[in-house]
Amino acid sequence: MMLRRRGLALLVLAWAFVACGSGSDGLADAERRIPVSGLLVFTVGVDLWIQDDQGARPLIQAGQDQQLLQPAISPDGERVAYVVFQLTNAEGTSIGTDLAVASLDDPQQEIVVRHTRQAEFVWSPRWTPDGQSLIFTHEPGELTIRVVRLDLQRREAEVVREDARDADVSPDGARIVFVNTPYSGDPHLVVRNLSDGSETVLDPEREWPPMPVRLPRFAPDGESVVFSGGQFLPQVSARVMGLNGPEDIWSYQLTTGVLTQLAAIGEDQPDFAISDDGRHVLIMGAFGMYLVEAVPRDPPYAIAPGEFHGGIDWTGNISDHEWQTIRESVFELPDGAQ
């Protein structure tokens, strides 16, 4: 039985169809913004929204001349870490980013790392599996960049790796994966063993087609890494890092060495989250929200409106029934097929 894709108009219809109560968790028509179940935190404009079994609604509102970015849900599902981007120098503030944490039940913003000078940035917060610490990228300035771990109880920070960015912690807490030498013009994905500091470069011979690479994340089983990668465009210099054109979503099996393109979407700096069981990847781009399988069988298609340079995190799974509903809303059988 063959399936064929409809055009862009059908994608819009698919979003309308799925958004209007076709999911399995019983949300009413206007309550569902993204047609998947579970807990989601994501950017809408400059603010953060939450979606759960009560529907989709604003969570935290950005302050004056601010934007809230890169949400990361804590392992217990009770808090969210995120980046507060101060966009202007108005009223004594300086351009830069802070790291914040808020409860999802009572979302009062708490700044846990504050920038202290112009153009100091923190990015890409990730929780450790025990929920006691955050790791994040820190750019203090002057072409210095590193991965830092912050103990939230003691408020003590330590540098985990110099000359690195976009780190994620493995589910067992024993390893991190990150992008190394981001200012050199030749970054790679690297896995580091935290117990002895040994490192493995995942593509030492530059055989992978995607370059540059961003935002690696361990799959829930720790056996693969999902990341965003550029489309065959060369890394010209550090000054154009991250501006090298459209990006797709890829997966690399650490045990077998198999590289798989999960979604050829050609988006500008997309973000993504992986389902708890590792079977699906939810992607947020400027032109749409995409849901793909970790072992892809179909081309990617939009299931909801996107967000320019938006961020998303998600805890939940897609049931077989939900997946079939989404697929059938975007695909149709050829005329006369049984």
Side-chain angles (χ1 to χ4, degrees):
M1 182 174 67
M2 299 297 294
L3 297 176
R4 60 181 173 89
R5 291 195 68 184
R6 294 180 177 178
L8 180 61
L10 181 57
L11 301 185
V12 177
L13 291 175
W15 158 240
F17 171 77
V18 179
C20 290
S22 63
S24 62
D25 58 2
L27 295 182
D29 293 0
E31 293 178 328
R32 180 185 292 278
R33 186 179 182 95
I34 303 171
V36 299
S37 57
L39 171 65
L40 299 95
V41 179
F42 51 96
T43 54
V44 176
V46 298
D47 303 326
L48 287 183
W49 278 48
I50 185 173
Q51 180 177 301
D52 53 20
D53 56 7
Q54 300 179 44
R57 59 202 182 275
L59 178 68
I60 304 170
Q61 188 174 28
Q64 180 71 28
D65 298 323
Q66 291 182 347
Q67 185 177 19
L68 308 183
L69 301 167
Q70 300 179 334
I73 300 170
S74 63
D76 60 10
E78 295 182 357
R79 294 173 291 171
V80 60
Y82 57 96
V83 169
V84 181
F85 195 166
Q86 182 63 44
L87 302 169
T88 71
N89 291 323
E91 298 182 3
T93 62
S94 60
I95 294 174
T97 57
D98 301 328
L99 181 59
V101 174
S103 168
L104 294 179
D105 289 335
D106 183 22
Q108 302 299 314
Q109 177 170 283
E110 179 185 8
I111 301 297
V112 295
V113 175
R114 189 179 300 276
H115 75 285
T116 58
R117 61 179 178 175
Q118 182 82 0
E120 180 181 3
F121 298 102
V122 294
W123 304 111
S124 306
R126 294 285 185 265
W127 295 86
T128 55
D130 61 8
Q132 300 302 307
S133 301
L134 288 166
I135 65 170
F136 57 93
T137 301
H138 181 219
E139 291 185 89
E142 300 178 355
L143 294 182
T144 300
I145 190 167
R146 56 205 179 189
V147 171
V148 175
R149 175 169 45 205
L150 173 70
D151 185 302
L152 290 172
Q153 184 173 9
R154 295 194 297 265
R155 296 299 170 91
E156 295 177 354
E158 62 173 334
V159 176
V160 178
R161 176 58 152 82
E162 295 281 2
D163 204 15
R165 64 176 170 88
D166 294 353
D168 187 38
V169 187
S170 63
D172 61 4
R175 298 164 293 162
I176 60 172
V177 61
F178 59 90
V179 179
N180 75 339
T181 60
Y183 287 141
S184 75
D186 187 34
H188 290 74
L189 288 186
V190 178
V191 174
R192 179 183 179 93
N193 190 315
L194 294 177
S195 63
D196 60 13
S198 60
E199 296 183 351
T200 301
V201 179
L202 300 189
D203 182 25
E205 302 301 323
R206 278 282 181 227
E207 297 176 348
W208 293 357
M211 185 177 68
V213 291
R214 293 191 315 113
L215 299 180
R217 298 192 71 164
F218 281 102
D221 61 5
E223 297 299 317
S224 62
V225 171
V226 180
F227 62 96
S228 183
Q231 291 185 357
F232 307 98
L233 298 179
Q235 182 94 1
V236 178
S237 72
R239 292 187 180 276
V240 296
M241 182 183 61
L243 299 175
N244 278 339
E247 297 178 16
D248 302 323
I249 305 300
W250 298 75
S251 175
Y252 179 74
Q253 286 284 338
L254 297 172
T255 52
T256 65
V258 174
L259 178 69
T260 303
Q261 188 180 45
L262 300 184
I265 52 176
E267 286 277 6
D268 180 9
Q269 298 188 352
D271 195 15
F272 63 89
I274 308 171
S275 63
D276 294 342
D277 59 13
R279 294 175 57 195
H280 296 89
V281 179
L282 183 62
I283 306 163
M284 174 177 277
F287 298 104
M289 192 85 66
Y290 311 87
L291 183 67
V292 297
E293 291 179 296
V295 181
R297 292 177 295 172
D298 299 320
Y301 47 84
I303 64 169
E307 192 75 29
F308 181 70
H309 288 185
I312 188 167
D313 203 12
W314 170 43
T315 61
N317 294 308
I318 301 296
S319 67
D320 292 339
H321 173 71
E322 285 177 298
W323 179 241
Q324 188 66 24
T325 299
I326 292 172
R327 291 175 72 237
E328 288 177 351
S329 70
V330 177
F331 291 92
E332 65 172 357
L333 295 175
D335 294 341
Q338 299 296 319

